[in-house]
Amino acid sequence: MLDIEDAAVPDERQERSQNREPARKKLIRRDDRDHSQPLRVTVQVLFAILNLWIGVQFYLWVRWAESGGQAFEVSRPAGVEGWLPIEGLMQLKYFLITGKVPHVHGAGFFLFTAFLVISFVFRKAFCSWICPVGTVSEYLWKVCRSVFGRSFQLPRWADIPLRSLKYLALGFFAYAVIGMSAASIAEFLNSPYALIVDVRMLNFFRYIGGTAGWVVLGLVIASIFVQNFWCRYLCPYGGFLGLVSLLSPMRITRNASTCIDCAKCAKACPSALPVDKLVEIRSAECTGCLECVAICPAKDTLMMSAPVGLRRRRGIPAWTMAVGIAFLFLAIVAYAKITNHWNTDLPRQVYLELVPNAVAQEHPLPGQP
């Protein structure tokens, strides 16, 4: 009888052992200091200052043109054309068809190309490292998090359909551009409307109407409470760069053997990606912000990696992204300036005639000169 009871003890212990939760892996804490977020903030601030400088200079130039050349004169900053992504898409198609760089708003073409290249190499880093709208959006929801202790995310049943809106907008613009021939693109770019489309963009905010003002205010409020509301749901530019980033050789990778499954990375991800469940992050929503990498406590577990062979990948330090983004941007801008493609060469008199009447310029219809 005692022998039977003694024999049953190991079976009971084995059953209890099988019912236990698996033991958590031991944390091997990182011994390096992560510099990704200070570096990213530095890049964000530098580009924000650059955009502010361009904006002020462009405003002064518009005031000079509106005064008939009587006000203080400054040169027109070509960098403002970086705010014209739809025109940049048209210029890209024109270049691919003809092999020629458009002579109108050439800076816009090269900036558009630079952002495409950066998104290909470093994921959708334009959105989280460069774009001033993305920077403002990010710090709006971080204000909410600091005040309420958290930011908010829409439920999955609303999140997924809303994410499709930016691709619908992108599809609309892409359809319009795809249907244009090189001749029709050249005709549009040389139209009075296109020559001062940047002025019309400025005037939209200078003389914003009631409806548009309420829409902008609504977007700001939504961006405070919902992480990256504009970028995540409505920005077609970000949607296009996200599709380009799917071809990127870079991606966030997770070492499952050293991961302790704390899920801190998933909670930190602004795009609400399940970083803690995946080995590689290939989503078009990943902006390469490295917030997940920065918060990971485990050594050699989460990193931005690059391929070093057919099946091997190696982590790259955060400074590589900062230097790489700056190098690609400056190199492409320098090339445009050296080859005399940066500035739009138009007589001063053309601007003096068109800028004061910017509101009167109508969008040319297809086939209309």
Side-chain angles (χ1 to χ4, degrees), residues 308-323:
V308 293
L310 292 177
R311 296 186 178 181
R312 293 182 56 206
R313 304 187 67 85
R314 178 175 298 171
I316 63 171
W319 66 263
T320 305
M321 283 193 67
V323 171

Side-chain angles (χ1 to χ4, degrees), residues 24-25 27 153 254 258-270 272-278 291-293 295-298 301-302:
R24 297 191 64 166
K25 285 176 281 188
L27 169 64
Q153 293 179 352
R254 183 178 67 92
T258 58
C259 177
I260 61 170
D261 302 314
C262 63
K264 288 183 177 180
C265 53
K267 294 176 183 176
C269 178
L273 297 174
V275 184
D276 60 325
K277 304 297 182 183
L278 303 172
E291 289 208 29
C292 59
V293 175
I295 203 170
C296 178
T301 297
L302 210 59

Side-chain angles (χ1 to χ4, degrees), residues 15 24 92 98 107 111 164 181 214 244 276 297 299 319-320 326 355:
E15 183 178 352
R24 297 191 64 166
L92 178 62
T98 66
L111 288 171
S164 66
S181 65
W214 283 110
V244 172
D276 60 325
K299 183 178 181 180
W319 66 263
T320 305
V355 171

Side-chain angles (χ1 to χ4, degrees), residues 29 62 193 234 315:
R29 194 169 294 277
V62 170
Y193 177 92
L234 300 174

Side-chain angles (χ1 to χ4, degrees), residues 30 34 250-255 258 275 279-281 290 292-294 296 298-306 313-318 321:
R30 296 169 63 171
D34 182 85
M250 304 286 188
R251 58 188 62 128
I252 299 291
T253 54
R254 183 178 67 92
N255 185 349
T258 58
V275 184
V279 176
E280 293 184 350
I281 306 301
L290 302 183
C292 59
V293 175
C296 178
K299 183 178 181 180
D300 298 331
T301 297
L302 210 59
M303 65 200 76
M304 179 67 78
S305 65
R313 304 187 67 85
R314 178 175 298 171
I316 63 171
M321 283 193 67

